[in-house]
Amino acid sequence: MSPPLTEIWVYLSATPLLWLALTLLAYLAAFALHRRLHFNPLANPVLIAVVLLVSTLYLTGTPYGRYFDGAQFVHFLLGPATVALAVPLYGQLERLKKMALPVLAALVAGSLCAALSAYLIAGALGASLPTMRSLAPKSVTTPIAMGIAERLGGLPSLAAVLVILTGILGAVCGSALMRLLKVRDEAATGFALGLASHGIGTARAFQIGETAGAFAALAMGLNGLFTAVSLPWLLPLLERWLGH
């Protein structure tokens, strides 16, 4: 950038609201492109917005800490947004009661498979122990995953990146994979997306339908709880058995 533009940018970048505005604009632009492409899952708005923001931070040399000073307002809203997911779930309460046993079975199987498969595959490929521990909670929402990774002796920052990548991959490929497997039930599709791909998968599930979104929200919450409770005692047992 030329000196005058650089001076203007330095002035603006010191304002936290600039990064809040850029975050919202990046997502609005990404969602507009997503809608223009008829909601093609390959044009995932979260992925596009992340690419736009990371490119902006890199080209302007802006540290992440300065960006987060503004973006933390969006981060704060994640809590109320997650709680609000209980509203569509309440509408599926009667169906949920009838499906309680299959839901619990899918939760345990899916949660353990998501955590242990990533852990064991990373180990087989020669990853370090902290990296393996950071991979294990990749399918739960970011704050929980970072807390689990820190408790396990992993790297919270790496866990956060892996969570985002997992969510984007699940949102892009998950619904197509379910169609390939001939799974037509919205509740099953939504539960799988929420369990494997947390919040980003849940957002994709709501595009499929309200039932899919409700069960995705349920899966996201239950998986976070189950993973937080089970991994801290399960992984040490597994590591002792493997001789790590």
Side-chain angles (χ1 to χ4, degrees), residues 106-118 136 195 223 226-227 230-231 234:
L107 169 67
V108 174
S111 181
L112 292 179
C113 181
L116 298 183
S117 62
L195 193 151
N223 188 35
F226 181 79
T227 303
S230 64
L231 274 191
L234 183 60

Side-chain angles (χ1 to χ4, degrees), residues 75-179:
H75 185 266
F76 168 78
L77 292 175
L78 287 175
T82 302
V83 174
L85 293 174
V87 176
L89 183 59
Y90 181 77
Q92 303 292 326
L93 188 58
E94 291 303 317
R95 187 177 183 185
L96 177 58
K97 290 178 181 178
K98 297 176 183 178
M99 298 175 61
L101 188 58
V103 162
L104 289 175
L107 169 67
V108 174
S111 181
L112 292 179
C113 181
L116 298 183
S117 62
Y119 179 89
L120 293 173
I121 290 172
L125 294 175
S128 66
L129 197 55
T131 300
M132 293 165 62
R133 291 169 176 170
S134 303
L135 267 166
K138 65 177 178 53
S139 290
V140 301
T141 191
T142 304
I144 299 176
M146 293 177 69
I148 294 173
E150 185 175 15
R151 184 174 178 183
L152 293 173
L155 307 170
S157 57
L158 177 59
V161 173
L162 293 169
V163 166
I164 294 171
L165 292 177
T166 300
I168 291 173
L169 182 63
V172 169
C173 304
S175 55
L177 179 60
M178 297 299 283
R179 287 195 300 270

